[in-house]
Amino acid sequence: MEEQVALIEHACAVFENPSNQAAHQEASATLLAFRNSAAPIGVCQHVLQSSSSEQAKFQKQLTGTVAVLLKRGWVDESPEERHAFFSEVESTVAGTSDAAARRTGIEILEAVVSEFAPSTASPLGLAWEQHDRCRKSLQQHYLHTFYQHAATIAGETAQAATQGQDQGVCSACLSLMAAVLTWDFRPGNGHAAYLGTRPASDSLQVQPGPSWRGLLLGPDSCPWLHPLLAHLHNQPDSVLAQRARQLVVSLRAT
């Protein structure tokens, strides 16, 4: 298993720096095999726990690479295959008491949101039409579920988070929720001009539609959020407090 960990670590590093085409193709093949393994999320968690690299940097590399590989195969995969992947992520997050595994699953979902959003997407050498098809598909079929899933887990872990006992799960959920809320829900092909760049500050960002109203504005929408902020009033500079405030700002903007 240690050999597998080292192999995936190396492949992630090479995949991010494609100056050597042959090495990049070899790394891509290694990571595709990892992506298509029977339980990639479980393998991902094991790799992160066993990695000899600096943890935060490698975790970002690995989750980002999973998102890139998912996007590369998005058009060719069936809806059932996509659903199976996300079902595994969600079951890992919801069905385990392992906080590190839950956090990893949430961070993979956020990496997917970032990779599929045109303003933060990697070019990947793909045609614009493929980027746009991926964006539309994620927006129509998955974003709502991602947000709802993160909100549920955040509510379950908020109290433990105030005591530093959730290993960052709640904070990861807040970050995912904010990422979903900053998604530009513009229909059509309006993103082509700024693929990989953030929209100008004066551009109009389209908010979620009516189907989101109950989730975002209903009486049971994030009842834990303001109590969480109240608990964190003595820790205003903590990552958890900053993410909670950002989520409040994003919710008010919807």
Side-chain angles (χ1 to χ4, degrees):
M1 184 62 73
E2 289 182 2
E3 184 177 346
Q4 182 185 24
V5 170
L7 185 65
I8 294 175
E9 260 191 281
H10 176 70
C12 282
V14 173
F15 189 79
E16 284 202 338
N17 297 283
S19 55
N20 184 320
Q21 189 63 30
H24 187 262
Q25 290 177 350
E26 183 179 349
S28 180
T30 298
L31 293 168
L32 280 171
F34 158 68
R35 159 72 178 87
N36 294 325
S37 62
I41 307 308
V43 174
C44 183
Q45 178 58 28
H46 177 80
V47 170
L48 290 173
Q49 290 177 330
S50 307
S51 172
S52 60
S53 292
E54 195 278 318
Q55 188 78 354
K57 178 181 178 181
F58 180 55
Q59 181 159 346
K60 185 175 181 179
Q61 282 182 330
L62 185 55
T63 55
T65 299
V66 170
V68 166
L69 293 173
L70 182 68
K71 188 174 186 179
R72 279 187 176 277
W74 191 267
V75 174
D76 297 326
E77 289 183 339
S78 67
E80 291 76 19
E81 288 173 314
R82 299 172 198 158
H83 181 70
F85 176 82
F86 288 125
S87 291
E88 184 191 347
V89 176
E90 291 176 7
S91 63
T92 296
V93 174
T96 181
S97 59
D98 185 335
R102 301 183 97 185
R103 188 185 67 247
T104 298
I106 291 294
E107 288 173 344
I108 287 174
L109 294 182
E110 184 177 357
V112 170
V113 172
S114 178
E115 184 55 54
F116 280 60
S119 60
T120 50
S122 308
L124 301 179
L126 301 177
W128 163 249
E129 289 76 13
Q130 185 165 342
H131 283 286
D132 201 46
R133 287 171 67 185
C134 292
R135 174 190 67 83
K136 289 178 181 177
S137 179
L138 196 79
Q139 178 175 312
Q140 292 171 4
H141 302 295
Y142 295 102
L143 281 187
H144 191 280
T145 300
F146 287 4
Y147 184 91
Q148 188 171 35
H149 190 61
T152 299
I153 301 301
E156 293 174 359
T157 57
Q159 184 173 357
T162 62
Q163 302 167 9
Q165 297 178 354
D166 74 324
Q167 295 190 38
V169 175
C170 185
S171 181
C173 289
L174 299 181
S175 186
L176 171 57
M177 293 167 72
V180 171
L181 291 179
T182 56
W183 180 278
D184 193 344
F185 287 81
R186 191 186 313 268
N189 300 321
H191 296 284
Y194 61 87
L195 176 64
T197 61
R198 294 189 179 278
S201 59
D202 60 349
S203 65
L204 180 63
Q205 181 165 312
V206 180
Q207 302 298 328
S211 63
W212 286 74
R213 189 168 294 128
L215 181 61
L216 300 180
L217 304 176
D220 297 325
S221 174
C222 302
W224 44 266
L225 182 54
H226 288 287
L228 174 63
L229 278 169
H231 276 291
L232 296 171
H233 73 279
N234 290 327
Q235 308 169 47
D237 297 326
S238 68
V239 173
L240 184 61
Q242 291 174 17
R243 289 181 173 178
R245 289 195 299 270
Q246 177 58 49
L247 180 58
V248 170
V249 171
S250 298
L251 283 168
R252 287 175 176 171
T254 59

